[in-house]
Amino acid sequence: MLIEILKGCPHGCRFCSSGFLYRPPRPYTKDTLFSIMDNTVGKTDKIGLVSSAIADHPRISEICQYGKALGFKLSFSSLRADKLDENLSQTIARAGVKTATIAPEAGSSRMRAVINKKISEEQILEAVQKLVGEGIINIKLYFMIGLPFEQDSDIHAIVDLIRKIKAQFLQSSRPKKKIGTLTLSINPFIPKPFTPFQWAAMCPEDVLTRRVNIIKQGLKNIPNLRLNIESLRQAKIHALLSSGDRKTAEILTEAYKTGWTKALKKYKDYCESIIYREKPLTSPLSWDFLNNGIKKSFLAEEYKRAEKEMTSPSCPMKDCDECRICRA
């Protein structure tokens, strides 16, 4: 059973739709979640807690404790390193979790500032130490490549950070006399509508390939490390579906008839103009006629702040009529 416990995310990572489409974030009440768990008894022994910001639910520890008391094994979509205090890591471990996911997204502090991922290297390493120390022996890590304003040095920083995480992982595992697995997931950046990076271009495939190879070479022969890399071809299709206009409908029809390879080749010039062209901040966008309440000027300012490597505060998670920082 998958249960969404909080809709949206307050942190405002500039690549992420959830952090802007669902403002302000809305946690489900603990009573609602307890009722769902009660009704799940006898149907399954596993519950997955789902959200873009699991640890930001104000009652996350109580939710975990309640699920454990009902006899469920719990799993989590991902955890923010800066939210993982000792109490939460202990609660997660007592719920029977053996694998936890952390999403640093970028290897360098510079790149984390660009994407507004407001966590430090120290917090990432501390999170690994706390999780493994509590007996959660398998750690999954999510990173992105091809982000706006990214340089090859930022990719080398991913390798360096993984090596530091691996060292912390081993140090925390030795007292337990059991070493689990680090799983590294590498995903190409895809521009999403209604985010500060909606004007950005996708990184060219040859550059992505080179950066994937930097990671592969930098991490080869490291034991207990699994490397999963999203298909660059699939990512290209996702970018077209994310940013395309009405003409994309023709390509969908063609792909249905002849397959994606032939469809992308037939409409090559159009596809590349959609996928690989950066858009001016003043240009009209295909989705401008839709209104989700967030000011386009607010997103544009966030893009400019990204270029300057400046972070922005998280959504205060209060009534929009009171705040109105990002609202039209």
Side-chain angles (χ1 to χ4, degrees):
M1 169 68 79
L2 299 179
I3 303 175
E4 183 182 49
I5 68 169
L6 184 149
K7 187 175 291 295
C9 176
H11 300 290
C13 295
R14 292 172 176 137
F15 57 83
C16 177
S17 299
S18 180
F20 296 94
L21 286 174
Y22 303 117
R23 286 199 171 197
R26 302 183 290 281
Y28 291 91
T29 67
K30 69 170 187 175
D31 290 339
T32 297
L33 298 171
F34 288 178
S35 176
I36 294 171
M37 289 184 182
D38 290 339
N39 291 331
T40 305
V41 172
K43 298 174 183 176
T44 180
D45 63 348
K46 297 179 181 178
I47 284 180
L49 300 181
V50 180
S51 171
S52 298
I54 288 282
D56 285 278
H57 195 293
R59 301 296 185 87
I60 181 62
S61 291
E62 294 174 61
I63 294 165
C64 292
Q65 290 164 5
Y66 193 83
K68 178 63 175 175
L70 290 176
F72 291 114
K73 297 175 184 176
L74 301 182
S75 64
F76 303 82
S77 47
S78 73
L79 300 161
R80 269 188 71 97
D82 57 337
K83 294 285 184 177
L84 197 65
D85 58 22
E86 200 160 314
N87 177 56
L88 181 56
S89 56
Q90 288 176 355
T91 300
I92 292 169
R94 288 170 187 155
V97 173
K98 294 300 179 186
T99 300
T101 301
I102 302 172
E105 307 293 2
S108 66
S109 58
R110 183 193 83 85
M111 206 58 229
R112 286 193 292 275
V114 167
I115 64 177
N116 205 35
K117 189 81 177 185
K118 300 178 287 290
I119 57 175
S120 67
E121 182 176 293
E122 291 74 20
Q123 289 170 325
I124 295 166
L125 296 176
E126 285 175 10
V128 172
Q129 183 269 321
K130 287 172 183 171
L131 291 168
V132 178
E134 291 295 338
I136 301 170
I137 61 172
N138 302 306
I139 305 294
K140 293 182 179 179
L141 300 162
Y142 286 133
F143 286 88
M144 299 180 76
I145 59 173
L147 286 157
F149 315 115
E150 183 182 83
Q151 302 166 6
D152 280 0
S153 59
D154 298 305
I155 306 303
H156 288 288
I158 292 177
V159 174
D160 294 340
L161 179 56
I162 292 297
R163 288 184 171 276
K164 291 176 184 177
I165 290 172
K166 178 66 176 180
Q168 180 63 70
F169 183 77
L170 290 174
Q171 181 181 331
S172 301
S173 297
R174 286 191 183 105
K176 303 287 182 182
K177 297 183 179 179
K178 190 172 184 180
I179 297 176
T181 301
L182 276 179
T183 302
L184 176 60
S185 180
I186 304 293
N187 302 285
F189 161 73
I190 296 168
K192 299 292 196 307
F194 305 112
T195 68
F197 286 166
Q198 64 184 345
W199 291 279
M202 187 175 180
C203 192
E205 193 168 346
D206 61 329
V207 177
L208 289 174
T209 300
R210 186 180 76 245
R211 290 177 178 169
V212 164
N213 288 333
I214 290 172
I215 294 171
K216 285 182 175 179
Q217 290 299 312
L219 299 177
K220 67 179 180 180
N221 301 325
I222 296 181
N224 301 99
L225 177 69
R226 295 176 183 168
L227 185 58
N228 297 327
I229 298 172
E230 184 185 349
S231 163
L232 300 185
R233 177 178 173 275
Q234 288 294 324
K236 181 178 179 179
I237 295 170
H238 295 167
L240 174 65
L241 297 177
S242 176
S243 301
D245 55 25
R246 291 172 181 168
K247 191 174 178 65
T248 306
E250 296 179 29
I251 304 175
L252 282 170
T253 303
E254 186 68 26
Y256 176 74
K257 292 177 180 177
T258 65
W260 273 108
T261 300
K262 290 183 179 179
L264 292 174
K265 186 175 181 180
K266 180 176 179 179
Y267 293 90
K268 181 180 179 181
D269 291 344
Y270 166 79
C271 291
E272 294 196 348
S273 72
I274 291 292
I275 297 167
Y276 299 121
R277 184 183 66 199
E278 184 176 357
K279 306 168 187 70
L281 294 181
T282 54
S283 67
L285 300 171
S286 303
W287 46 90
D288 278 345
F289 69 98
L290 298 169
N291 177 18
N292 74 322
I294 304 295
K295 291 183 290 189
K296 192 176 177 183
S297 59
F298 170 80
L299 298 176
E301 285 302 316
E302 282 294 298
Y303 189 88
K304 293 174 186 176
R305 290 177 70 84
E307 190 171 15
K308 296 175 184 176
E309 301 171 17
M310 297 171 63
T311 60
S312 297
S314 300
C315 173
M317 293 180 71
K318 59 184 181 182
D319 192 280
C320 290
D321 288 335
E322 183 183 346
C323 176
R324 304 210 69 81
I325 290 174
C326 62
R327 288 288 175 181

